Amino acid sequence: MSTLSREVKNCVVVMSSEESSSYPDDDSELELGLGLSLGGGKAKAAPPPAGGGGVGCDHQVVGWPPVRTYRMNSLANQAKSPVTEDFFSTFDECKSKNVALDKNNYAGNRTNNTTNEKGFQKKSLFVKVNMDGIPIGRKVDLNAHTCYKSLARALDDMFRTNVAVGARRSNVEEQIVVAATRQPGRLLDGSSEFVLTYEDKDGDWMLVGDVPWEMFLSSVRRLRIMKKAEANGLAPKIS
Amino acid sequence: MAYSFPEEVLEHVFWFLSSDKDRNAVSLVCKSWYEIERWCRRRVFIGNCYSVTPEIVIRRFPEVRELEMKGKPHFADFNLVPEGWGACVYPWVTAMSAAYPFLEEIKLKRMVVTDESLELISKSFRNFKVLVLSSCEGFTTDGLASIAANCRNLRELDLRESEVEDLSGHWLSHFPDNCTSLVSLNMSCLGSEVSFSALERLVSRSPNLRTLRLNRAVPLEKLPNLLRRAPQLVELGTGAYSAEIRSDIFSNLAEAFSVCKQLKGLSGFWDVVPAYLPAMYSVCSGITSLNLSYATIQSPDLVKLVSQCRNLQCLWVLDYIEDSGLEALAASCKDLQELRVFPSDPFGAEPNVSLTERGLVSVSEGCPKLQSVLYFCRQMSNAALIAIARNRPNMVRFRLCILEPRAPDYLTLEPLDTGFGAIVENCKELRRLSMSGLLTDRVFKYIGTHAKKLEMLSIAFAGDSDLGLHHVLSGCESLRKLEIRDCPFGDKALLANAAKLETMRSLWMSSCSVSFGACKLLGQKMPRLNVEVIDERGPPDSRPESCPVERLYVYRTVAGRRVDMPGFVWTMDEDSTLSASESGNKPNVWGLRALMPSILHLAELIVAINILMNKEAKLLFSLFHV
């Protein structure tokens, strides 16, 4: 148990970075939600120690809201994007369940999402992200981004911090990133020594950025920030 | 009364007493009744594994067949108790393996269970029948393999919500071919795929199987194979509820469900494909318990399903059901007793679903038997709480979690004191309460005044001062468990109500303002309490006495101090000396008691001893309180 400042101790990333809370870019999408929501804004009058967290910092109150880890993990592993036709049971299983759905018959989810009048529905698509050299992985919500640029920037922020807090459990989804001082420099713009790759539903590792964003969303299973040298000399293609 | 019945007669009479309370009362009548009772007690429930030692239990009750025990404090569920805190069952298992060769049942909650423990259980108790591990951890599927292989008469293996290190699904294949006794199997928390043919064969040869909760890895297309082999099932937990959309799969599934005429409970439902829900409709009219809390489907599909279940008594669901869905629920399910609504996006900054206080109000209006609620939402109002309280005076368990800490009444921006006050005032049978939102000391005054049957109270980010805690400790007569986090409660109320703590199972306080000095004082004053400080910053005496401790766990015990504390737990001993404070005066509560007579009105002294304790506690408090 290392001694740490109390403030840092109280900030624990329980599940993953809550990317949805810290993008200026995504405000326009959030506006929709706010407009149709039911006065949720008023509740923010009280100074929130918990909630979405600050920009660029994954602060959350430990153990709040009081949802059991077991339940959080089960929900997280059920990432289901409304955009995709395929879906995954869990990201931990090695087998991928490649189920092709008949577009016409798959009335349920798609209909609900397109005819939903209740307002903007943001469903999460959490995928694991591992970075070479860091033993503990993170998770990022891909549906919180609309383009490669914002994803790259978020990952850059996520893995560049030097916060070291003791892990409470061995479960990867709960652990906090323990990182040695990283070399500053933006990830994925070619200047970094790392490239961003992803494993697709066929189990192949691809460079991120080659296909349209929507197509990427429908086939990505997990991400890996790989050392350039290991990426077979392929140049990153993030524009 | 003075005549003594033959012992056998008394024993025969006592045999009919199943409640612990009754048995405890009986054992206090006289020595011979105590003796007779203790020899025929078969079931022991230990609410806190550290409140007693295995040796004490074994000495008093030599013929136990069923043990039920709980370990970590409830807040361990939310990561507030560090890893390695304790609650290992192994010492209990070793002691019982020698003392209780005929032990049949072990039910544990929030305990650390190792593979060694499981192996020892499987080999020590020839007639072992029931193993329930609820929210436990520390074991792997190898431990399960020992249980499966060695427990010849196993009836129940229930791993609900435990954290199991899943090495492989092979453990299930260890059930011997001649094992036909299985009544209940809950493996829903496991990740790995088990051999489906082994599972099929196990189900086939278990004619008494009533409960089968599969894990996610069991594919939907194969579910009919199991259902057909167990049409007598009463409770079913599906695996992943998804498959390619194919009419043959659908009709196979629908047909298999229609054969299960006894089904009362359904759970599972990971990865739901809504198109497959109608396959279940044939059983819905008999369903009394439905756990859809992992089903990420939208309100219209949820409503369609739920409105088929007219006899529903218990529903667990995600907030995807929304207010409209809850309204529909209130209209169709008039027998509903328990509702739990979980958040689909607990950390999101903005609401992702239209679920508000209105949904809960509708259910409270429409469901006259509603008595147990767990509700996560993003906004609440006093008006809604008052309405709920008036609608449902029969409420027994009420747990409300407004996601944003300290959120006020969203309509008036006032604290939610009057709302929760209405709950405790109207719901006279309330036994469990969890509160959230903006709350001042006033709500605690209401609770202390009205919540006389309250047994468990959970408080977070609430209150203004020690007065709040004092109201609760001095007013709630039936209080057994109190858990508090992030509240400005400090030393005064705790010390003034020290005696109260011996009437309770436990008190948890984290991120409050209780000083190390007060903890020491409490430990000194109350030898029958274990006062434990959990602090990851290092030894508490390396900091000033006035420094608040990170976490405090106080519980009554006859076991003495723990012997298995990890490095971040310190116990406040009776013989620990207080370090001198700056003023040189030792703050000594006992000394002040000596002063009391000269301060108090003489008449107040003429009271019974225990009343004196409480009264003086109130006076002490009023002395300290400014």
Side-chain angles (χ1 to χ4, degrees):
Chain A
M1 316 291 157
S2 53
T3 47
L4 293 158
S5 75
R6 203 181 180 147
E7 194 188 28
V8 172
K9 272 232 98 89
N10 283 335
C11 298
V12 175
V13 178
V14 173
M15 224 181 81
S16 71
S17 80
E18 290 312 309
E19 300 299 311
S20 53
S21 59
S22 54
Y23 318 124
D25 292 348
D26 290 349
D27 267 355
S28 52
E29 290 171 276
L30 289 174
E31 279 309 303
L32 261 175
L34 271 175
L36 295 168
S37 78
L38 309 131
K42 276 202 180 153
K44 309 251 176 263
V55 174
C57 175
D58 296 329
H59 283 197
Q60 277 174 5
V61 178
V62 181
W64 191 268
V67 181
R68 300 200 43 226
T69 315
Y70 176 80
R71 188 167 290 286
M72 293 311 315
N73 291 345
S74 285
L75 275 181
N77 281 335
Q78 281 193 86
K80 216 174 8 166
S81 166
V83 175
T84 64
E85 295 169 81
D86 295 344
F87 55 91
F88 324 106
S89 7
T90 87
F91 294 106
D92 289 337
E93 315 281 47
C94 295
K95 297 200 293 270
S96 76
K97 297 198 170 188
N98 287 329
V99 181
L101 293 172
D102 181 4
K103 210 168 181 175
N104 296 325
N105 285 348
Y106 191 41
N109 271 356
R110 287 181 70 87
T111 316
N112 288 338
N113 281 313
T114 50
T115 61
N116 194 312
E117 292 159 325
K118 299 263 158 54
F120 185 71
Q121 285 224 357
K122 230 175 182 195
K123 290 223 274 186
S124 315
L125 177 58
F126 281 100
V127 297
K128 280 189 182 172
V129 188
N130 284 82
M131 180 164 178
D132 284 359
I134 298 178
I136 296 159
R138 303 292 300 275
K139 270 192 168 174
V140 66
D141 179 4
L142 293 180
N143 272 349
H145 302 272
T146 49
C147 64
Y148 288 116
K149 230 184 191 151
S150 96
L151 172 63
R153 203 182 60 201
L155 291 175
D156 196 21
D157 283 342
M158 205 192 287
F159 285 95
R160 200 155 34 112
T161 54
N162 296 337
V163 178
V165 186
R168 292 213 189 284
R169 292 184 189 262
S170 58
N171 192 312
V172 169
E173 281 112 46
E174 287 188 63
Q175 277 173 333
I176 304 111
V177 173
V178 176
T181 311
R182 297 264 123 218
Q183 288 167 354
R186 293 182 58 80
L187 196 65
L188 310 166
D189 65 353
S191 66
S192 162
E193 61 179 290
F194 293 94
V195 292
L196 181 60
T197 63
Y198 72 101
E199 186 185 21
D200 70 4
K201 61 184 194 295
D202 298 322
D204 298 321
W205 284 93
M206 322 281 284
L207 272 180
V208 166
D210 288 347
V211 300
W213 176 254
E214 266 69 30
M215 202 182 290
F216 165 69
L217 281 187
S218 69
S219 58
V220 63
R221 287 181 64 202
R222 53 185 166 135
L223 299 170
R224 183 173 154 204
I225 301 172
M226 207 182 277
K227 287 217 164 74
K228 221 186 216 173
E230 280 185 41
N232 298 326
L234 293 170
K237 290 196 183 159
I238 318 282
S239 51
Chain B
M1 257 317 265
Y3 304 117
S4 44
F5 282 123
E7 274 189 24
E8 298 80 26
V9 175
L10 280 171
E11 190 176 326
H12 188 75
V13 173
F14 293 169
W15 200 83
F16 291 96
L17 298 173
S18 52
S19 124
D20 284 342
K21 262 183 93 179
D22 290 343
R23 281 187 164 264
N24 291 344
V26 147
S27 59
L28 288 174
V29 167
C30 63
K31 279 193 183 153
S32 70
W33 281 37
Y34 175 91
E35 279 299 305
I36 296 166
E37 193 282 319
R38 78 182 187 90
W39 278 94
C40 69
R41 191 175 305 211
R42 294 285 177 267
R43 203 168 50 97
V44 172
F45 169 75
I46 299 167
N48 172 6
C49 62
Y50 288 118
S51 62
V52 71
T53 64
E55 291 71 36
I56 294 173
V57 175
I58 290 166
R59 195 165 60 225
R60 178 165 173 193
F61 301 117
E63 298 281 345
V64 167
R65 298 274 188 274
E66 300 167 24
L67 176 77
E68 188 179 341
M69 192 157 59
K70 297 187 181 180
K72 300 185 205 174
H74 174 235
F75 275 178
D77 285 354
F78 316 123
N79 297 345
L80 291 179
V81 176
E83 194 80 353
W85 176 81
C88 293
V89 79
Y90 192 71
W92 288 86
V93 178
T94 38
M96 293 191 302
S97 67
Y100 296 146
F102 303 111
L103 191 72
E104 294 177 1
E105 295 191 14
I106 295 178
K107 296 179 181 171
L108 305 173
K109 187 166 187 179
R110 281 190 214 101
M111 294 200 71
V112 175
V113 181
T114 56
D115 285 348
E116 287 75 36
S117 304
L118 291 175
E119 198 178 335
L120 190 55
I121 290 171
S122 75
K123 295 191 168 145
S124 310
F125 311 115
R126 323 238 71 227
N127 207 22
F128 195 71
K129 296 198 166 98
V130 173
L131 183 64
V132 177
L133 301 176
S134 175
S135 308
C136 294
E137 55 166 356
F139 58 103
T140 76
T141 41
D142 286 351
L144 298 179
S146 328
I147 296 287
N150 302 323
C151 300
R152 310 260 124 192
N153 295 311
L154 194 68
R155 275 200 338 235
E156 271 185 57
L157 178 59
D158 184 337
L159 306 172
R160 53 181 86 153
E161 300 184 348
S162 290
E163 256 188 58
V164 186
E165 193 181 332
D166 213 322
L167 301 173
S168 89
H170 197 56
W171 65 275
L172 190 92
S173 310
H174 284 257
F175 278 108
D177 290 334
N178 59 7
C179 171
T180 58
S181 48
L182 214 54
V183 172
S184 169
L185 177 63
N186 179 355
M187 49 181 236
S188 53
C189 62
L190 298 179
S192 295
E193 205 174 326
V194 299
S195 148
F196 192 79
S197 53
L199 179 59
E200 253 182 335
R201 287 194 308 272
L202 179 63
V203 169
S204 294
R205 64 177 186 274
S206 305
N208 299 315
L209 194 66
R210 293 281 176 274
T211 299
L212 179 63
R213 301 213 195 269
L214 304 167
N215 65 345
R216 201 165 173 180
V218 176
L220 188 61
E221 329 55 286
K222 295 211 175 136
L223 185 58
N225 300 29
L226 297 172
L227 293 180
R228 288 209 176 85
R229 286 169 169 80
Q232 75 283 5
L233 273 182
V234 175
E235 292 181 324
L236 171 71
T238 71
Y241 205 80
S242 61
E244 245 180 279
I245 310 277
R246 272 175 31 197
S247 52
D248 57 328
I249 299 181
F250 184 94
S251 48
N252 198 17
L253 186 62
E255 217 185 288
F257 267 117
S258 65
V259 172
C260 298
K261 308 233 184 272
Q262 322 270 10
L263 268 181
K264 290 219 170 322
L266 287 172
S267 62
F269 298 112
W270 294 280
D271 312 311
V272 177
V273 166
Y276 277 108
L277 288 172
M280 281 179 5
Y281 284 177
S282 60
V283 299
C284 284
S285 57
I287 294 298
T288 56
S289 167
L290 189 53
N291 182 351
L292 293 168
S293 61
Y294 298 107
T296 52
I297 48 178
Q298 306 302 318
S299 187
D301 293 311
L302 284 165
V303 167
K304 264 188 249 153
L305 179 58
V306 157
S307 30
Q308 306 266 333
C309 304
R310 304 254 146 195
N311 289 311
L312 203 58
Q313 291 172 15
C314 174
L315 176 66
W316 291 22
V317 72
L318 284 171
D319 56 8
Y320 289 128
I321 195 166
E322 299 192 325
D323 289 340
S324 56
L326 290 174
E327 233 174 285
L329 176 72
S332 8
C333 304
K334 295 302 183 185
D335 276 347
L336 195 72
Q337 293 174 22
E338 177 175 331
L339 173 68
R340 296 196 192 191
V341 179
F342 294 97
S344 53
D345 185 19
F347 303 112
E350 299 300 331
N352 62 325
V353 290
S354 176
L355 180 103
T356 69
E357 80 283 7
R358 293 202 277 277
L360 185 55
V361 173
S362 321
V363 181
S364 75
E365 273 165 7
C367 302
K369 300 190 189 165
L370 186 71
Q371 47 159 262
S372 177
V373 167
L374 169 61
Y375 199 75
F376 285 82
C377 60
R378 284 191 153 89
Q379 67 185 44
M380 188 50 60
S381 66
N382 283 309
L385 285 169
I386 292 168
I388 293 164
R390 292 211 176 117
N391 290 334
R392 295 274 63 80
N394 51 327
M395 192 72 71
V396 169
R397 278 175 292 274
F398 189 74
R399 294 195 275 163
L400 179 68
C401 179
I402 306 165
L403 291 175
E404 184 75 28
R406 302 193 188 93
D409 176 328
Y410 78 100
L411 294 168
T412 64
L413 295 186
E414 281 171 3
L416 290 170
D417 299 338
T418 39
F420 280 104
I423 295 279
V424 293
E425 195 175 342
N426 285 292
C427 308
K428 305 210 190 300
E429 301 300 315
L430 196 69
R431 291 204 307 262
R432 183 166 181 185
L433 177 65
S434 301
M435 306 190 295
S436 54
L438 184 64
L439 297 163
T440 72
D441 284 346
R442 223 159 5 115
V443 74
F444 298 112
K445 186 164 183 197
Y446 298 145
I447 291 173
T449 308
H450 296 287
K452 295 303 179 187
K453 300 254 180 96
L454 193 66
E455 295 179 5
M456 182 168 177
L457 178 62
S458 310
I459 311 170
F461 304 104
D464 309 310
S465 75
D466 273 47
L467 200 50
L469 180 58
H470 175 67
H471 284 310
V472 170
L473 288 176
S474 56
C476 297
E477 291 158 7
S478 310
L479 198 62
R480 292 191 297 114
K481 288 182 281 185
L482 179 58
E483 45 185 26
I484 303 171
R485 63 162 297 175
D486 294 274
C487 295
F489 299 148
D491 304 343
K492 302 176 211 161
L494 195 60
L495 292 173
N497 292 281
K500 171 73 175 174
L501 299 178
E502 257 188 40
T503 68
M504 292 165 52
R505 182 187 296 174
S506 65
L507 165 70
W508 169 277
M509 293 178 75
S510 55
S511 306
C512 296
S513 316
V514 181
S515 72
F516 174 51
C519 295
K520 281 204 287 192
L521 199 51
L522 191 61
Q524 245 198 337
K525 183 179 172 184
M526 310 294 297
R528 283 189 304 227
L529 294 179
N530 274 359
V531 178
E532 292 173 5
V533 167
I534 300 167
D535 209 316
E536 290 177 292
R537 296 170 296 177
D541 55 15
S542 62
R543 289 178 292 278
E545 274 207 7
S546 55
C547 188
V549 299
E550 268 180 3
R551 282 160 275 209
L552 172 66
Y553 186 48
V554 181
Y555 55 92
R556 66 181 174 189
T557 181
V558 295
R561 54 181 295 184
R562 274 179 67 177
V563 295
D564 63 346
M565 289 181 293
F568 48 84
V569 178
W570 288 269
T571 190
M572 306 293 111
D573 257 340
E574 305 139 47
D575 49 10
S576 64
T577 52
L578 282 172
S579 49
S581 64
E582 286 84 64
S583 66
N585 288 333
K586 290 193 183 170
N588 187 328
V589 172
W590 295 107
L592 276 164
R593 278 183 82 195
L595 275 174
M596 290 311 268
S598 54
I599 299 167
L600 286 178
H601 193 289
L602 202 61
E604 282 177 310
L605 280 178
I606 307 169
V607 287
I609 293 291
N610 55 350
I611 298 172
L612 177 65
M613 281 278 282
N614 282 335
K615 191 108 190 161
E616 117 191 23
K618 284 176 187 155
L619 283 156
L620 254 181
F621 177 81
S622 63
L623 275 179
F624 283 128
H625 184 69
V626 175

